[in-house]
Amino acid sequence: MMLRLMKYLFATAAFLVFSSAAFSQKVKFEVGAPAVVAVGEPFRIEFSLNAKPDGFTPPSFTGFDVLAGPTASEGTSVSIVNGNVTKTVSFTYTYVLSATAAGKGTVSAAGVEVDGKTYATRPMTIEAIAEAAAPEAGAGGDTAGRRQGDGTASAAPGTRLGADDLLVRVSVSRHEAYKGQPVRATFKLYTRVALSGIESPRYPAFNGFWVHELDVSGYDWQRETLDGKVYDARVIKEVLLYPQQSGRLLIEQTSMTAIAQLVVQNPGRSQSLFDDFFGGGQTVQQVRRNISAPPVSITVKDFPAGAPASFNGAVGKFRLDAVLGEQTVAANASDAYVLKLSGSGNLPLIQAPKLEMPASFEQYNMKTTESLAYDASGISGYRQFEYPFIPRAEGSYTIAPVEFSYFDPEAARYVTLATAPAGMEVRPDSTAGRNTPSGLVSGVSKEDIKILDRDIRFIRIGDPGLVRKGNFLFGSLPYFLALALMLGGFAAGYVYLKKHLREMRNVTLVRNKKANKVALQRLRAAGDYMNAGDERRFYEEMLRALWGYMSDKLNIPVSNLTKDNIREELQRRSVSPERVERFIGIITECEYAQYSPSSSGQMNEIYGAAARALSRFESEIKK
């Protein structure tokens, strides 16, 4: 009887908890659809609700044919975490539409009724594009809302790969900027076919810029138009660029290998009705295509003339605040003066403002703290500079105002900020009276006596009592021997420097000699990433080491370096084919591992094989 009563009580409590969780949830009614579609292309539009509706008012569609719908689906989930119960209810109404003509079509608001209240979605506009040539069946398809978890496109595979089905483009937020003004560079991948991944991405070096890479994990695939065609597009890399020199700077060419999935007919077998139904006569094949984006130029303007004396290269919009720790302290007690620079701009590159303090204040090393946020618009936050000091003598003092100037690129002018003067009272040291010498002159402090004692020393008078010891070195045999050694050393140094300068003019020889040193530095960096378990950066650094070593050793620019010309050049230099193929295999393993999960054991194996290969090449490859 007692057990049955406990079951009833538990069931009642669970019902109340679940009911309260459901009723307390805020009702949301939203619509989701692609912003751009192709004429004649089927696409889906979904109206989602996180509560159980009492009724649904369908929208009206202008410029679209309704191919199917509305199709209703329902889902419920309950989660209990640390005693907190969360119940989620979802209702979805789905339509399949097709645009009838090019232009902008409209979808009116849909409505639902929940617990006597009416909720409505926002009306939306969808643009339809009439493409020059319709894609093959399955080449574009309805990919909206159907993406793989790894971020690759999962449309139905097409039957052929067109010239413009895979593209990569680089866009910048501005083509003209001042020094220190942020430029956002966005690398975007466009596809009209099913895409399984990319290989061997080569991004620019961004010479002349200070670079900060932004997180692109939050970006998802979106429908976009490019040159009159509809693509699935996604941001694959985004960086903030801060120009460090004026003139024309170039964002170099970007290249990579994209892997498309195409449907091909199995060779040597007839296509029967049975194969058509079950798909037995076709297979999905991965096709690799090299794609690249052209360079992008940025015109960087120098700062205008008339910069204030307190300007040190800060660009943006800032605010300067100052705080004095204690306005009344005892002599020989520590205190601090704090400057806080906040705003948006090139904060990481800004130097600390110069602080002038009274002569009797002993200053110590400045401490810097910062809190910065990076987003697509730039860098914002604050940097705080703390100046510790100790006043050594009592009295009333004033810390002079601190000036800080920055350049506002939007207004194209300099702005100078200044703090208010800070008054400070220094009391006598509590221990000073015990050590005051008798006969101290009135008006002269103990600190003045200490400074005077360090500043002036009495001159010795009378007979100095100097005594000559030993013989002069000049004219003796050791003197001439030392002179001969110096002349010989000078001649040897002259010959060495002449030879060194001659070798330095030979760019090929210099790169050849430095190839092993640069590769070892990169291998050490890759080893650090391996120990930290950072696979992506490990394989990136390994590829830089391997490609860079061969570029320097064989005197081939990295942009022109391929596996084929490495193989030809090494065989021409009498390197055994087995070692050449092993080296090419290491590069291929690193490129493949960038986009597939691996283990720490595989990283150790690749790292050891690369180190051994470079060591053997260093002894086999001649100048």
Side-chain angles (χ1 to χ4, degrees):
M1 183 68 180
M2 189 65 179
L3 181 60
R4 184 179 301 176
L5 179 60
M6 292 292 291
K7 288 182 179 180
Y8 287 150
L9 291 175
F10 179 78
T12 304
F15 173 78
L16 293 175
V17 169
F18 290 160
S19 300
S20 62
F23 289 133
S24 62
Q25 187 176 12
K26 184 179 179 181
V27 176
K28 290 183 180 180
F29 187 39
E30 299 173 336
V31 59
V36 180
V37 297
V39 174
E41 173 193 24
F43 67 94
R44 292 181 299 174
I45 180 170
E46 296 180 348
F47 298 88
S48 57
L49 176 68
N50 64 342
K52 186 174 182 179
D54 298 327
F56 174 70
T57 304
S60 61
F61 304 99
T62 303
F64 302 101
D65 287 337
V66 179
L67 305 182
T71 302
S73 60
E74 176 183 356
T76 303
S77 64
V78 178
S79 62
I80 304 176
V81 180
N82 296 329
N84 297 322
V85 181
T86 303
K87 181 180 180 182
T88 304
V89 179
S90 62
F91 276 80
T92 304
Y93 298 92
T94 304
Y95 289 87
V96 179
L97 309 178
S98 176
T100 57
K104 293 185 177 181
T106 58
V107 179
S108 67
V112 292
E113 186 174 340
V114 179
D115 297 333
K117 293 184 179 181
T118 302
Y119 300 88
T121 61
R122 55 178 176 83
M124 68 179 305
T125 301
I126 300 176
E127 183 179 3
I129 302 296
E131 298 185 345
E136 292 285 339
D142 176 22
T143 59
R146 298 190 293 116
R147 303 292 171 197
Q148 295 179 0
D150 59 358
T152 57
S154 61
T159 57
R160 63 182 179 85
L161 186 60
D164 56 353
D165 283 347
L166 285 170
L167 300 172
V168 61
R169 291 292 181 264
V170 180
S171 61
V172 293
S173 58
R174 54 173 61 92
H175 287 274
E176 277 195 1
Y178 285 99
K179 286 170 57 177
Q181 186 179 12
V183 178
R184 186 177 76 257
T186 304
F187 299 76
K188 189 173 289 188
L189 186 64
Y190 294 86
T191 178
R192 289 162 55 84
V193 296
L195 187 67
S196 63
I198 58 175
E199 292 180 340
S200 307
R202 295 185 182 179
Y203 295 107
F206 304 113
N207 295 320
F209 295 96
W210 183 86
V211 185
H212 178 81
E213 187 164 352
L214 298 174
D215 182 17
V216 297
S217 60
Y219 286 103
D220 200 357
W221 290 91
Q222 301 290 336
R223 304 301 297 278
E224 294 186 13
T225 58
L226 183 66
D227 298 331
K229 294 187 177 182
V230 179
Y231 290 85
D232 288 326
R234 183 180 179 181
V235 175
I236 56 176
K237 184 181 181 69
E238 195 168 38
V239 294
L240 285 176
L241 305 176
Y242 286 81
Q244 300 301 295
Q245 61 190 53
S246 58
R248 183 174 174 270
L249 298 182
L250 197 66
I251 300 177
E252 299 90 344
Q253 175 179 300
T254 301
S255 63
M256 63 190 64
T257 300
I259 307 174
Q261 293 179 335
L262 300 181
V263 176
V264 296
Q265 181 69 31
N266 288 335
R269 80 181 276 183
S270 60
Q271 184 74 8
S272 64
L273 182 62
F274 180 83
D275 289 334
D276 283 339
F277 185 79
F278 290 100
Q282 295 178 337
T283 59
V284 176
Q285 181 180 5
Q286 290 190 343
V287 178
R288 286 171 169 79
R289 168 170 288 181
N290 296 327
I291 56 177
S292 61
V296 178
S297 64
I298 306 294
T299 301
V300 183
K301 298 179 287 186
D302 206 348
F303 299 122
S310 57
F311 177 69
N312 59 10
V315 178
K317 293 184 178 180
F318 303 100
R319 173 183 172 182
L320 183 64
D321 298 299
V323 176
L324 179 61
E326 298 290 341
Q327 295 183 345
T328 302
V329 297
N332 300 316
S334 62
D335 203 351
Y337 188 82
V338 179
L339 290 175
K340 184 176 182 180
L341 184 65
S342 55
S344 60
N346 58 344
L347 279 165
L349 308 178
I350 294 177
Q351 302 176 5
K354 187 177 181 181
L355 176 64
E356 297 290 344
M357 285 194 169
S360 63
F361 283 24
E362 185 175 342
Q363 298 187 48
Y364 293 87
N365 294 334
M366 181 194 64
K367 178 183 177 183
T368 303
T369 57
E370 62 183 31
S371 176
L372 304 177
Y374 300 84
D375 55 31
S377 61
I379 303 175
S380 60
Y382 72 85
R383 294 192 75 196
Q384 184 170 284
F385 308 98
E386 182 177 347
Y387 303 81
F389 66 92
I390 295 178
R392 294 300 186 185
E394 64 270 15
S396 297
Y397 299 92
T398 299
I399 299 178
V402 178
E403 288 192 353
F404 173 80
S405 298
Y406 66 89
F407 180 73
D408 185 349
E410 303 298 332
R413 65 185 182 93
Y414 295 100
V415 178
T416 300
L417 306 175
T419 63
M424 185 174 184
E425 188 72 25
V426 180
R427 302 189 307 270
D429 190 346
S430 59
T431 62
R434 304 173 188 173
N435 301 322
T436 303
S438 58
L440 187 65
V441 180
S442 175
V444 179
S445 66
K446 178 183 69 174
E447 189 66 25
D448 295 333
I449 295 297
K450 290 182 179 179
I451 294 175
L452 181 64
D453 181 59
R454 291 195 302 267
D455 187 50
I456 299 177
R457 298 295 186 210
F458 288 107
I459 299 175
R460 182 185 181 95
I461 58 176
D463 184 10
L466 301 177
V467 178
R468 177 177 178 178
K469 293 184 177 180
N471 299 319
F472 285 110
L473 177 64
F474 180 77
S476 63
L477 179 61
Y479 171 79
F480 288 108
L481 289 176
L483 185 61
L485 289 174
M486 288 170 47
L487 292 175
F490 175 78
Y494 174 76
V495 173
Y496 171 77
L497 288 176
K498 188 175 181 180
K499 179 183 177 183
H500 181 69
L501 290 175
R502 185 169 59 252
E503 292 179 351
M504 289 295 291
R505 295 191 188 99
N506 189 342
V507 178
T508 302
L509 182 61
V510 172
R511 291 183 61 189
N512 188 287
K513 287 186 174 182
K514 291 185 177 179
N516 190 51
K517 180 180 178 181
V518 174
L520 289 178
Q521 291 175 349
R522 288 173 173 167
L523 283 178
R524 282 195 290 269
D528 294 338
Y529 292 134
M530 177 179 65
N531 296 332
D534 193 337
E535 294 184 15
R536 181 179 65 84
R537 293 189 176 179
F538 168 75
Y539 289 113
E540 288 179 356
E541 201 64 34
M542 287 294 297
L543 288 173
R544 290 194 186 99
L546 298 174
W547 285 108
Y549 177 82
M550 284 301 167
S551 174
D552 293 338
K553 205 68 177 177
L554 304 179
N555 193 30
I556 301 175
V558 176
S559 58
N560 299 331
L561 199 63
T562 64
K563 296 176 183 177
D564 292 335
N565 56 26
I566 286 179
R567 185 180 290 107
E568 294 175 1
E569 191 67 22
L570 290 178
Q571 292 177 354
R572 189 178 66 83
R573 296 175 184 239
S574 302
V575 180
S576 64
E578 294 79 8
R579 292 184 180 176
V580 173
E581 293 305 323
R582 179 52 186 157
F583 181 78
I584 298 298
I586 294 173
I587 293 179
T588 303
E589 289 178 14
C590 290
E591 291 175 342
Y592 176 78
Q594 280 186 299
Y595 303 99
S596 63
S598 62
S599 63
S600 59
Q602 182 181 354
M603 288 194 290
N604 283 322
E605 182 180 347
I606 291 177
Y607 183 84
R612 290 191 295 272
L614 295 183
S615 177
R616 294 191 187 102
F617 285 150
E618 191 63 21
S619 60
E620 291 186 7
I621 301 177
K622 305 302 180 182
K623 297 180 181 179

